[in-house]
Amino acid sequence: MKKVRWGVLGTANIATGKVISAMQQGLYCEITGIASRNLGKARATAAQLGISKAYGSYEELLADPDIDAIYNPLPNHLHVPWSVKALQAGKHVLCEKPIGLTAAEGQALADVAKQHPHLKVMEAFMYRFHPQWQRARQLVLEGKIGALRTIQAFFSYYLDDPNNVRNRADSGGGAMLDIGCYTISLARFIFGAEPRRVFGIIEYDPQFKIDRLASGILDFGLGTSTFTCATQLSPYQLVNIFGTEGRVEIEIPFNAPPDRPCKIWYQHGDETEEILLDICNQYTIQGDLFSQAVLNDTDVPTPIEDAVANMKVIEAVFRSEQSGSWV
């Protein structure tokens, strides 16, 4: 069975702790190489994870003809620059979320992608491919909760390390870009539409200058979605989807555990059904779906335009906070 040969840019924790090992379990993925600006670190990581090639620069990886596709888990401000370089080097690109720091940056990547129509590029919102989200969306689309009216989303963790990239404003740190992007994305995913207007309230860390607490309302016309995300709160995540006749609650919506079944609750009238989903790894599913698009020359599951649209909503939340009004 043919596999896509992947190269990984950098040794970010998300890559070394979750994504690489998950993709190595895939039917269509082969992690062939990993690059770091420190060759020793690249070699150590490659040895640890059973990767055959290590590179002392990102450029060296991009120049390797044995690499078909790039996974880009670099800090947020490096997402677009290195994804563009990868496309220009003839590589397919799976780039971590958020796609960039601004919608304009995301659009710049989309424009380059159009110049290379034979190459695939996608933002790595892995949660969408997990069966729990596919099932939740199916229940909504089939009218099992009646008319979709509102979604509540919460996502938080506590991180006060000044050296962590998530706390560095110049690298694209902050709650909205790191986890608020999920709460925006899921609302657009479940409504199947873009919000008409948004309202946002944001609190900034006085030392780090990043947004540490953000809440917002998205108005979809036929319904709303509300969210709170925070980087200095007790860790928690939950999503509730409400309709006129029922409700779907997702227990662990974003960091779905790969080693045990996930569960969602479907409430209809007075009855609540607990739906168990088979054990799976959403990163494995994502890697295989992208690789199949490469191998079969079909569209990726989530077009890059979706990433740009998500950034536009995030920017609108920031503008709303600045103006104190709906945007």
Side-chain angles (χ1 to χ4, degrees), residues 138-159:
Q138 180 186 14
L139 288 168
V140 172
L141 290 174
E142 292 178 353
K144 296 295 176 61
I145 65 168
L148 174 61
R149 296 294 290 128
T150 196
I151 301 172
Q152 294 178 339
F154 197 99
F155 198 179
S156 65
Y157 59 78
Y158 196 95
L159 177 71

Side-chain angles (χ1 to χ4, degrees), residues 162-178:
N163 297 314
N164 191 292
V165 69
R166 291 178 179 85
N167 282 328
R168 286 165 36 191
D170 59 349
S171 301
M176 280 299 298
L177 288 181
D178 189 42

Side-chain angles (χ1 to χ4, degrees), residues 126 130 132 237 252-259 262 280-283:
M126 75 298 174
H130 195 287
Q132 64 180 0
Q237 53 182 276
I252 309 176
F254 310 114
N255 299 328
D259 55 353
C262 289
C280 68
N281 190 313
Q282 56 193 352
Y283 294 106

Side-chain angles (χ1 to χ4, degrees), residues 31-324:
I31 306 294
T32 302
I34 188 164
S36 171
R37 290 169 295 183
N38 180 319
L39 180 57
K41 190 172 186 180
R43 284 176 173 163
T45 304
Q48 175 192 349
L49 296 173
I51 301 171
S52 59
K53 293 189 175 189
Y55 312 84
S57 71
Y58 305 149
E59 290 88 352
E60 190 181 352
L61 186 154
L62 294 183
D64 189 340
D66 290 337
I67 299 294
D68 304 312
I70 296 298
Y71 169 58
N72 180 353
L74 294 169
N76 294 344
H77 68 299
L78 299 177
H79 283 177
V80 168
W82 281 102
S83 293
V84 166
K85 289 178 181 179
L87 287 171
Q88 291 170 339
K91 313 298 185 187
H92 306 278
V93 176
L94 177 64
C95 182
E96 266 305 333
K97 53 81 212 161
I99 200 62
L101 301 183
T102 63
E105 240 197 349
Q107 187 59 53
L109 177 59
D111 291 342
V112 173
K114 287 175 186 172
Q115 298 167 18
H116 302 271
H118 60 295
L119 296 175
K120 313 298 178 185
V121 58
M122 188 176 83
E123 183 180 32
F125 262 126
M126 75 298 174
Y127 81 92
R128 287 190 177 186
F129 310 120
H130 195 287
Q132 64 180 0
W133 277 99
Q134 295 292 321
R135 186 67 178 276
R137 190 166 186 251
Q138 180 186 14
L139 288 168
V140 172
L141 290 174
E142 292 178 353
K144 296 295 176 61
I145 65 168
L148 174 61
R149 296 294 290 128
T150 196
I151 301 172
Q152 294 178 339
F154 197 99
F155 198 179
S156 65
Y157 59 78
Y158 196 95
L159 177 71
D160 60 0
D161 176 6
N163 297 314
N164 191 292
V165 69
R166 291 178 179 85
N167 282 328
R168 286 165 36 191
D170 59 349
S171 301
M176 280 299 298
L177 288 181
D178 189 42
I179 52 179
C181 58
Y182 285 99
T183 64
I184 303 289
S185 173
L186 73 89
R188 298 173 46 253
F189 182 59
I190 296 298
F191 269 100
E194 301 300 329
R196 295 179 175 182
R197 58 178 184 156
V198 307
F199 188 86
I201 299 173
I202 298 174
E203 178 186 295
Y204 289 86
D205 182 286
Q207 178 187 350
F208 303 144
K209 310 302 180 187
I210 52 104
D211 54 300
R212 63 182 180 186
L213 174 64
S215 297
I217 307 171
L218 313 182
D219 176 10
F220 286 89
L222 297 174
T224 61
S225 184
T226 58
F227 72 86
T228 291
C229 63
T231 59
Q232 292 177 26
L233 279 186
S234 176
Y236 187 69
Q237 53 182 276
L238 189 73
V239 170
N240 249 315
I241 302 166
F242 295 88
T244 52
E245 300 169 16
R247 176 181 70 90
V248 178
E249 180 176 336
I250 305 178
E251 181 189 29
I252 309 176
F254 310 114
N255 299 328
D259 55 353
R260 61 181 173 89
C262 289
K263 64 181 72 166
I264 65 176
W265 292 278
Y266 167 51
Q267 178 186 337
H268 192 268
D270 296 330
E271 301 292 319
T272 300
E273 175 189 358
E274 182 177 279
I275 301 172
L276 277 179
L277 290 308
D278 290 340
I279 296 174
C280 68
N281 190 313
Q282 56 193 352
Y283 294 106
T284 305
I285 297 171
Q286 173 181 255
D288 268 353
L289 288 173
F290 187 98
S291 295
Q292 284 176 283
V294 171
L295 294 170
N296 301 325
D297 194 19
T298 53
D299 292 338
V300 293
T302 309
I304 193 64
E305 290 77 15
D306 184 87
V308 178
N310 210 58
M311 285 304 309
K312 287 180 179 178
V313 181
I314 292 170
E315 286 187 332
V317 172
F318 280 113
R319 292 204 311 273
S320 173
E321 156 62 24
Q322 290 163 2
S323 66

